Amino acid sequence: MLTASEITRLLDVANAGVQRGEVALARKVYQGILAGHPDHVPTLVSLAMSHIAVGQYEEADGILGKVLESHPEDPDALAYLGLSAFLAGRKDEARGIFEKVPEGTHAKAMADALAAEC
């Protein structure tokens, strides 16, 4: 079983992989984490982000929707769901999602910046 610090380290490496275009390899890491921790929200959000990075918005929306069912105010899930809608051209939907991102969170700055583009 992975420790919290091991999961954090693996997520950092996988997220860096997505940034470098190594989406398939990053997803293997995410799936490995989720095999032992199927409801690990940061990993699910990162997996969704890997779909957004390659234009797979419906897949990302499905993952983020499941996260939000159990964590309806998760700022990262909301911000990335809004980003997915924004990039898919659903700007009115994106604006509504961005408004739900809780104030005082790191995700709120991104949400506000993107909402201004809607």
Side-chain angles (χ1 to χ4, degrees):
M1 187 66 82
L2 294 169
T3 67
S5 65
E6 290 170 331
I7 291 172
T8 299
R9 200 168 349 168
L10 286 169
L11 279 176
D12 288 344
V13 169
N15 291 340
V18 170
Q19 291 177 348
R20 291 188 187 105
E22 297 291 341
V23 174
L25 290 173
R27 287 185 186 162
K28 288 182 181 185
V29 175
Y30 301 142
Q31 294 301 334
I33 295 168
L34 292 170
H37 304 274
D39 298 321
H40 191 253
V41 172
T43 302
L44 290 167
V45 171
S46 291
L47 177 60
M49 188 59 200
S50 78
H51 286 283
I52 293 169
V54 294
Q56 298 172 336
Y57 307 119
E58 287 183 27
E59 292 86 345
D61 294 352
I63 295 166
L64 294 167
K66 288 180 183 176
V67 169
L68 291 167
E69 285 175 9
S70 56
H71 299 88
E73 295 185 12
D74 184 275
D76 292 327
L78 285 166
Y80 287 123
L81 183 62
L83 175 63
S84 180
F86 177 83
L87 293 173
R90 303 183 320 262
K91 297 198 176 180
D92 289 338
E93 178 184 345
R95 189 178 313 108
I97 295 167
F98 290 142
E99 290 173 1
K100 296 177 185 177
V101 178
E103 294 290 338
T105 63
H106 292 184
K108 186 62 174 169
M110 179 186 82
D112 288 346
L114 287 170
E117 299 292 322
C118 290

